[in-house]
Amino acid sequence: MVIPLMKQAADEPGTDEQATLRCGAAWADGAACAVEARRALRAFLAHVPCTGRTPVPAALAIDAELVVSELVTNAIRHAPGPCGMILRLSGDGLAITVWDTSAEQPVVMKRDGQRFGGHGMHVVHTVSAEVAVASLGAGKQITALLRTAPDAAPAADVDAVAVIEDNPAA
């Protein structure tokens, strides 16, 4: 079961560009779908101009869809049970948080054109200004921050997770 995105939208008091916009979605065990998560993100971003804020730039929206796809897909593949997503747009940028029930920390593997799969967290780190992983009582949450300012270049934060040079099992 998914909690509908629009019923979760909550805007903090503020004026135009200073307001923080939030929304979220949660999926029951086995119900998560990356397509649905991307659809929820697009609905959230479409709501932004309705609040008086400047629309999110197209390049940032594309990067955000990529991050949502990778994080939700990882939750589906590697964590049993329910998962969810929280989106927050503020003056800092767009924060995308995905939580799941697996306590296992994600691994960022070096790019390898010969390997099929295993590139998702590398991609998330590449397009995000910051990536943080926090342990929860029964799982973890991963937050990727995408800066809205055009001069804010992405910088991979690989200190939060281990980097694997070579993974023969992948």
Side-chain angles (χ1 to χ4, degrees):
M1 176 177 101
V2 67
I3 298 172
L5 180 71
M6 291 306 166
K7 293 186 180 188
Q8 290 293 311
D11 304 339
E12 287 185 7
T15 58
D16 299 334
E17 300 296 319
Q18 300 306 313
T20 298
L21 306 177
R22 297 175 195 263
C23 71
W27 295 274
D29 186 9
C33 172
V35 170
E36 192 174 304
R38 287 191 305 272
R39 191 174 298 131
L41 170 70
R42 287 191 296 271
F44 175 69
L45 296 179
H47 175 71
V48 170
C50 300
T51 67
R53 294 182 68 116
T54 304
V56 171
L60 185 121
I62 291 168
D63 286 348
E65 282 197 43
L66 185 58
V67 169
V68 165
S69 285
E70 293 298 342
L71 293 180
V72 171
T73 297
N74 283 350
I76 293 166
R77 284 187 181 163
H78 303 291
C83 65
M85 175 177 72
I86 301 167
L87 305 171
R88 182 181 56 83
L89 182 66
S90 67
D92 289 344
L94 176 62
I96 300 166
T97 300
V98 173
W99 59 266
D100 62 43
T101 58
S102 172
E104 189 173 327
Q105 298 295 298
V107 176
V108 178
M109 294 188 264
K110 281 191 146 193
R111 204 174 109 211
D112 179 355
Q114 301 300 312
R115 183 181 65 239
F116 180 77
H119 299 279
M121 287 306 295
H122 177 76
V123 169
V124 170
H125 280 267
T126 300
V127 301
S128 303
E130 297 174 32
V131 177
V133 180
S135 293
L136 303 174
K140 68 178 166 309
Q141 71 178 25
I142 302 171
T143 301
L145 177 64
L146 287 76
R147 301 271 185 218
T148 51
D151 60 338
D157 175 17
V158 293
D159 293 333
V161 293
V163 176
I164 303 258
E165 297 272 335
D166 191 31
N167 183 358

